[in-house]
Amino acid sequence: MQDSENPFAAATKRTLATAGIFFAMAIAKLGSGWFFGSLIIEADGLHSLIDVAMVIMIFLGLKVASRPPSERFQFGLYKAENLVSFGAAIAVGAAALEILFDALHVVRVPEPAVPILVEAGSVAGSYWVMLYLGRTPGMKLESLKAQGIHAYEDVLSSLVVIVGILGEWLYIPVIAIAAAFFIAGYILVQASSLAYKSVMVLLDVSDERVVADVKQVVTGVKDVLGVHDVKVRQAGPFYFLEMHLEAPPTFSVQEADRLADEVEKKIKQALPTVASASIHVEPGSFSGKWVIALFEAADGSLRGHAATAPYVKIVDERTGERIKVPNPAAETTKRRGLEAAKRLKQLGVEAVIVREIGEGMLSALKGEGIMVLYSPASSEEEAIDAFRKGELRPLETAGSN
């Protein structure tokens, strides 16, 4: 699988590189701690070894998550990434407590210069790791976020160690203790948030933000009358969707299948992290949902030709409000279709009902995203009733049916 096809490829490579950096820092800390008799630096070296173990655990988890779906694991193993994120959050929290322990058990170092330089190198290395992981290309993974938080934690931890060495050397260890409590508290909040999010994903909690984004995309697709029962579950960086789509009642099975394919295509274009969308298409209803316009003759009937109608009646099916306005197409001699379409769009019209329409007007209305429906009846009330029942079909060519 190529990197472009595997969203975990870059993450696994950077995770492995991070493990090597943490291991080098652990050896430097343990060596300097032993040579200079600094227990606090030795403890920080052990902390770095724990970091190595945690990163290797995340690396293995990402390797498992990158496996494609199989007959047994039909939705893939993407949740392995969330599982290791939870484990990493626990490790981050435990390490935060270790910071407190280190600050409370400092011992004086006769010559602090070299140990401080080692810890300063650790600060620089951990900060680089944080930036390196944060700039990983592709999808944002929670496990990488956990590593980034932990790298930031290591920056703060090393600073606490430096302050502790200086504080003990200057006989004011209370400085290290105060700093450690502040930093550990901050890290525990971050670890708790990460662990909570990982558990919620493992329990298939719906993401309301994604649900809202999906509804916004779907309702903008032509011929979609409505969408409901949208269900979202997350696995790793991916989302799996289920929804009920409302199509015009007159749609054939082939037309409904085409609409479902179009909706899935639009969703994946707008939301690349959507791996799968299961769409159930059912007959919808226009009633109570749309703002419609009818080109009205002087006698109140439905005008034969839209461009020559003196008035436009606008009916808001949601509120029942009805208003009559002059036909924008009848008020000008140039670009009548474009002017009428823009004005109707400004008035919130979503569909127009006509008996006959020219090619220019039809193209202009469709260009503004307004559905054009043909009614054989001249009575406005009959046309509106047929609209509510879903009996009117979209008009695809100029003229009349």
Side-chain angles (χ1 to χ4, degrees), residues 8-40:
F8 301 98
T12 51
K13 290 177 181 177
R14 297 203 173 204
T15 297
L16 197 59
T18 299
I21 293 169
F22 281 158
F23 183 73
M25 289 194 299
I27 296 301
K29 292 176 184 178
L30 289 171
S32 62
W34 173 80
F35 187 81
F36 291 98
S38 172
L39 293 179
I40 189 172

Side-chain angles (χ1 to χ4, degrees), residues 2 16 36 68 86 176 188 215 217 242 261 344 352 386 399:
Q2 300 297 317
L16 197 59
F36 291 98
F86 176 75
L188 284 172
K215 286 184 176 179
V217 172
E242 295 179 16
D261 291 342
L344 293 177
V352 298

